[in-house]
């Protein structure tokens, strides 16, 4: 019944994705609180992401560790999300009940994601 959209800068920066994840976390906590006030139950949350939006969503787990609001994402759908060394471990966080990752193994930029090219990152 409810649909919510979230946008971020799209900058190719780990810092930008982490900041966007923290902002999204606060927005979702507020949404869940308001929903509970009106309907008396918590909503089921399904996040559908594309490309680095998936890494923004994975950063929700980092925000959860810092803010401890006990948010639950029932389903996280990652569409063409580039693999990120800094966020790949977050997919296992208990914040996410189920995670679906849809990607093309033939799309080398998506699979490899040239992380070493970012100015702020020195990974190879």
């Amino acid at each position: 019944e409810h649909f919510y959209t979230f946008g971020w800068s799209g900058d190719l920066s780990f810092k930008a994705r982490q900041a966007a994840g923290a902002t999204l976390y606060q927005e979702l906590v507020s949404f869940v609180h308001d929903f509970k006030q009106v309907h008396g139950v918590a909503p089921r949350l399904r996040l559908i992401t594309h490309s680095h939006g998936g890494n923004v969503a994975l950063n929700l787990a980092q925000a959860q560790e810092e803010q401890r609001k006990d948010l639950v994402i029932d389903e996280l759908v990652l569409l063409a999300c580039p693999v990120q060394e800094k966020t790949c471990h977050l997919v296992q966080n208990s914040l996410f009940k189920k995670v679906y990752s849809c990607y093309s193994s033939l799309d080398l930029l998506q699979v490899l994601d040239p992380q070493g090219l970012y100015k702020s990152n020195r990974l190879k």
Side-chain angles (χ1 to χ4, degrees):
E1 293 181 17
H2 303 275
F3 186 83
Y4 175 82
T5 60
F6 177 80
W8 65 291
S9 69
D11 289 346
L12 286 178
S13 157
F14 293 108
K15 194 175 202 175
R17 289 188 287 272
Q18 189 173 19
T23 300
L24 177 58
Y25 185 83
Q26 292 173 357
E27 293 288 328
L28 288 171
V29 167
S30 177
F31 170 77
V32 169
H33 176 267
D34 293 348
F35 190 94
K36 284 180 181 178
Q37 294 292 333
V38 172
H39 301 284
V41 296
R44 287 184 35 87
L45 297 179
R46 175 185 299 131
L47 301 183
I48 301 172
T49 68
H50 179 257
S51 191
H52 278 301
N55 289 304
V56 169
L58 288 173
N59 274 298
L60 290 170
Q62 175 99 12
Q64 175 104 315
E65 290 174 12
E66 295 168 2
Q67 299 183 35
R68 306 261 182 222
K69 300 288 185 182
D70 295 326
L71 183 67
V72 174
I73 305 300
D74 295 288
E75 295 175 308
L76 174 60
V77 180
L78 306 170
L79 302 174
C81 179
V83 174
Q84 297 274 268
E85 186 173 332
K86 286 194 173 189
T87 55
C88 67
H89 69 284
L90 297 174
V91 76
Q92 298 175 10
N93 192 283
S94 62
L95 166 71
F96 309 111
K97 286 186 177 179
K98 292 186 181 180
V99 178
Y100 303 94
S101 179
C102 303
Y103 64 93
S104 169
S105 60
L106 299 176
D107 182 348
L108 293 181
L109 281 179
Q110 175 187 326
V111 174
L112 297 176
D113 187 35
Q115 298 169 56
L117 298 179
Y118 299 132
K119 294 176 190 173
S120 64
N121 183 23
R122 299 296 174 228
L123 295 176
K124 295 183 179 175

